[in-house]
Amino acid sequence: MISKVKKTKAKKKIFLETLLVFFIAISPFLYKVYDYLPYDENGDAIILGFTLGNNGFPDTLTYLWYLTSKIVPLYLMIFWFLTSRNWWYHIILIPIAMYAFQFFEVFYDSDNMIDTDNIWWLIPVCMITIPFVYFIRIKLYDKHVHGIDLEAMEAELEELKAKGLSNKDNVSNIKATDEKGVEIPTLSEDINEKLSTGNLENIFKNVQNRIQGWLQLKS
């Protein structure tokens, strides 16, 4: 049985995809919507009860043509970016930024010139997006054409390092033996044994006994 959570997610997904398909399907009509809007005697468009003027353009019709020629490609590009599964989909951000800058330029520029300085606004977007996409392209080309998988190589190196450390531990734990099979202590073990408290005490006692015997012979 399909759980309620999965059903809810499926409904939301289908609903969003239906909206996306709907707006893509009506894009040609939205592009020409300015031809079908009502206009008053001053030439201003009336949209849902709001009056829209020419905003510095020769007339309102030209202004709406400009808006639709930017808005329609802009949201189509956004849909493409959000649904694309290609490795290069980040490059779509450049035309998205271009249409967005051109759309907002008409509201923030004080002069009557449009689609002019916004090309310079794209430079920061290009400087970030193009190297990022090119880096992904290099990794894919090396992996699928040259057969070089950097991530796999790094994982292999880490595995070799781990094996090397374990081998060193194993070597340090190996005990050497003589011909009779008796274990030969390592240098560190030999030093620890000779410098242990019990051995030092025996050495001092032997030296003390020798000195006392030597003094008795002199007397």
Side-chain angles (χ1 to χ4, degrees):
M1 297 292 293
I2 302 176
S3 63
K4 292 183 178 180
V5 176
K6 289 184 177 180
K7 286 183 179 180
T8 304
K9 289 182 178 180
K11 288 181 180 179
K12 289 181 178 179
K13 183 180 179 182
I14 293 173
F15 175 73
L16 292 175
E17 289 178 348
T18 302
L19 284 179
L20 185 145
V21 171
F22 172 75
F23 279 104
I24 293 176
I26 66 172
S27 58
F29 304 98
L30 288 178
Y31 183 79
K32 297 290 290 183
V33 69
Y34 55 85
D35 282 337
Y36 307 101
L37 293 175
Y39 295 87
D40 59 16
E41 63 276 4
N42 296 323
D44 298 334
I46 301 173
I47 304 175
L48 300 177
F50 295 96
T51 302
L52 184 66
N54 59 4
N55 198 27
F57 283 78
D59 51 56
T60 306
L61 192 67
T62 305
Y63 177 55
L64 290 175
W65 166 82
Y66 174 83
L67 291 180
T68 56
S69 66
K70 305 303 178 183
I71 294 175
V72 172
L74 177 60
Y75 82 72
L76 291 177
M77 287 285 181
I78 294 174
F79 288 168
W80 187 15
F81 175 79
L82 294 176
T83 58
S84 177
R85 295 296 180 267
N86 295 306
W87 62 267
W88 45 264
Y89 76 99
H90 291 92
I91 207 70
I92 307 174
L93 289 172
I94 294 177
I96 288 176
M98 180 190 70
Y99 280 110
F101 291 150
Q102 291 176 354
F103 175 73
F104 286 108
E105 185 182 10
V106 70
F107 297 105
Y108 293 101
D109 268 7
S110 58
D111 55 24
N112 295 325
M113 303 299 293
I114 58 174
D115 295 349
T116 54
D117 294 336
N118 56 69
I119 190 66
W120 303 110
W121 304 346
L122 288 175
I123 292 178
V125 180
C126 295
M127 290 177 64
I128 297 173
T129 307
I130 293 175
F132 180 73
V133 173
Y134 187 72
F135 175 73
I136 296 176
R137 186 259 183 195
I138 290 175
K139 292 187 67 175
L140 290 173
Y141 195 85
D142 289 341
K143 181 177 180 179
H144 297 289
V145 178
H146 296 300
I148 302 173
D149 192 347
L150 296 179
E151 294 180 357
M153 291 175 66
E154 290 178 0
E156 187 176 355
L157 287 174
E158 292 295 331
E159 185 179 355
L160 290 174
K161 287 180 182 179
K163 288 183 178 180
L165 292 175
S166 62
N167 289 335
K168 288 182 180 179
D169 295 337
N170 293 333
V171 170
S172 62
N173 292 329
I174 296 175
K175 299 293 185 179
T177 57
D178 56 13
E179 295 178 354
K180 296 181 180 180
V182 179
E183 290 185 357
I184 300 175
T186 62
L187 179 61
S188 60
E189 290 175 343
D190 189 34
I191 293 173
N192 290 333
E193 183 179 355
K194 289 181 179 180
L195 295 180
S196 61
T197 304
N199 287 336
L200 291 175
E201 186 178 356
N202 292 331
I203 291 172
F204 288 140
K205 286 183 178 180
N206 291 332
V207 172
Q208 184 180 7
N209 292 332
R210 289 181 182 181
I211 292 174
Q212 288 177 356
W214 181 75
L215 291 175
Q216 288 176 1
L217 291 175
K218 290 288 185 181
S219 64

